[in-house]
Amino acid sequence: MNNNSPTLSPALVRAALTTVKYPGFTRDIVSFGLVKEVTVSPEGAVVVNLVVESKNADVPRYIYESVMGTIKELPGVTKLDVNIEHHAPQPTKKGPAAGDDPADWKSSIPGVKHVIAVASGKGGVGKSTVSANLAVALARLGYRTGLLDLDIYGPSMALMFGTKERPGCSEKEQFLPVEVAGGVKLLSMGLLVDEASPVAVRGPLATRYVQQFLRDVDWGGLDFLILDLPPGTGDIQLTIVQTVELAGAVIVTTPQEVALIDARKAVGLFQRVNTPILGLIENMSYFVCPSDGLVYHIFGENGGEREAQKLGVPLLGKIPLDIDTRTGGDQGRPIALSDPGQSRVAAAFEGIASTLASVLGE
């Protein structure tokens, strides 16, 4: 052992383990609390005990190999044992069994039957616009619907629904969501902070906010809860898939290749943790000129359709690029509130909502 090398110790081993990332995410296994115990004997025998909860058997295998490869390179290690206690998440019922009271059919969020994550691999594809209008479309179809804005750093739902009302607090000290247009129940960080105030927190604190939003909200009974995720495939997404039994994920993309590349990453993330992909939505699919009715494929044509076929997932719908959609979002009136007979965008969202409800047995 080189005299200039640091002395082998549990602290040194833990420091090395911070370089081992949870597969598919930016955070390491130490910050996620997977490392339960590290021991080092005077002779250099290292024992690392971890606990991993995942439905995917490849996750603990990847972590094991990464830990072995990292720690065995430390100076002074004569023997290495890596023990992983692997648990699958506790399953929840997907539907009522014979004899069950339908009121007891719930997801892992109390009072909610179906939780749908709306995600995108990158920003700027209209994911929040899709989330807001999908929630409204489901509510207009008669379903009790909630919308949870989990974009902690860039919450936009308060603006999109034109409200500044603060959430209430129940007797059990839980958030009471705000009821907005269409009867949707909404909770967003944008309702808890001033509009001009940045949410300047590091990743672990943002994750704790998300966990509180998932755990400490009285939704009062919902058929659907839409989770508007931040763009990308980072810490908040991992918190969701580890904390909530999702009915599935909806991936939003635009037709151009630069967006489709990131959409593939989002699909891969949910597939890695065995979360069903309910389908892709191609947003900003085309533009219909108001004056002459000509159709322009500004961001490319049929990119989402080809990608859905390649990935083997449904294409739920194509949402046109539309001025009324933009103005409705800016003015707090989602376009899905419009008459589907008068708005092709509202009709598209109604069709997507109907498809999702049917797929999930409603």
Side-chain angles (χ1 to χ4, degrees):
M1 181 174 171
N2 191 320
N3 290 333
N4 294 323
S5 300
T7 302
L8 185 65
S9 65
L12 181 65
V13 173
R14 282 184 175 272
L17 291 173
T18 61
T19 66
V20 177
K21 306 299 184 184
Y22 192 98
F25 294 89
T26 58
R27 283 179 66 188
D28 61 87
I29 61 174
V30 175
S31 66
F32 273 123
L34 306 187
V35 181
K36 298 304 179 184
E37 185 179 26
V38 175
T39 62
V40 178
S41 74
E43 296 76 25
V46 177
V47 178
V48 178
N49 294 325
L50 305 103
V51 176
V52 176
E53 182 175 297
S54 174
K55 291 178 285 189
N56 189 344
D58 290 337
V59 169
R61 188 179 304 118
Y62 172 89
I63 292 175
Y64 175 85
E65 293 172 354
S66 299
V67 171
M68 289 290 291
T70 299
I71 303 305
K72 71 180 183 182
E73 299 298 325
L74 293 178
V77 175
T78 59
K79 182 181 178 183
L80 174 58
D81 289 318
V82 177
N83 305 308
I84 297 183
E85 185 179 337
H86 178 210
H87 300 290
Q90 191 70 25
T92 58
K93 292 188 285 186
K94 293 296 185 183
D100 279 355
D101 182 343
D104 293 331
W105 179 20
K106 298 173 182 176
S107 72
S108 53
I109 297 180
V112 180
K113 291 172 70 174
H114 307 292
V115 183
I116 299 174
V118 178
S120 65
K122 68 185 294 293
V125 298
K127 171 190 54 60
S128 292
T129 297
V130 168
S131 296
N133 284 285
L134 178 58
V136 170
L138 285 165
R140 283 174 61 90
L141 290 174
Y143 298 109
R144 300 168 300 168
T145 306
L147 176 59
L148 180 53
D149 183 358
L150 291 176
D151 194 344
I152 301 298
Y153 298 107
S156 56
M157 290 301 172
L159 173 64
M160 287 187 173
F161 282 92
T163 181
K164 296 182 179 180
E165 182 180 348
R166 300 285 185 180
C169 183
S170 73
E171 293 180 358
K172 296 181 180 180
E173 297 185 350
Q174 294 180 305
F175 288 115
L176 291 173
V178 173
E179 187 166 320
V180 291
V184 173
K185 292 184 177 181
L186 172 67
L187 183 63
S188 168
M189 181 64 80
L191 300 175
L192 300 172
V193 298
D194 294 334
E195 188 174 294
S197 298
V199 182
V201 297
R202 295 187 183 275
L205 185 54
T207 299
R208 285 200 288 273
Y209 282 138
V210 168
Q211 290 170 334
Q212 186 176 13
F213 281 167
L214 292 172
R215 185 178 60 246
D216 296 333
V217 182
D218 182 0
W219 292 103
L222 296 177
D223 298 308
F224 293 98
L225 176 61
I226 305 300
L227 306 182
D228 180 37
L229 303 187
T233 55
D235 299 345
I236 290 177
Q237 285 81 354
L238 178 58
T239 299
I240 297 301
V241 297
Q242 287 187 326
T243 305
V244 181
E245 187 72 18
L246 296 171
V250 171
I251 309 301
V252 181
T253 185
T254 51
Q256 78 251 49
E257 183 62 26
V258 69
L260 294 170
I261 290 173
D262 291 311
R264 288 172 207 140
K265 296 175 184 176
V267 169
L269 170 118
F270 288 105
Q271 289 178 333
R272 180 173 295 177
V273 294
N274 295 332
T275 295
I277 303 297
L278 299 175
L280 264 64
I281 294 176
E282 185 183 273
N283 194 31
M284 308 183 206
S285 180
Y286 56 90
F287 174 72
V288 179
C289 182
S291 61
D292 55 22
L294 292 177
V295 176
Y296 297 89
H297 295 91
I298 297 173
F299 297 108
E301 187 173 359
N302 295 326
E305 185 172 347
R306 290 193 300 272
E307 193 63 30
Q309 291 174 350
K310 184 186 303 182
L311 295 170
V313 301
L315 180 69
L316 294 172
K318 298 182 178 183
I319 309 297
L321 185 64
D322 180 75
I323 293 174
D324 290 341
T325 304
R326 192 271 303 167
T327 56
D330 287 347
Q331 296 171 3
R333 183 175 172 80
I335 189 69
L337 291 168
S338 303
D339 181 353
Q342 302 296 320
S343 166
R344 59 171 51 89
V345 181
F349 277 116
E350 184 181 81
I352 293 169
S354 180
T355 298
L356 287 174
S358 178
V359 166
L360 295 175
E362 291 294 330

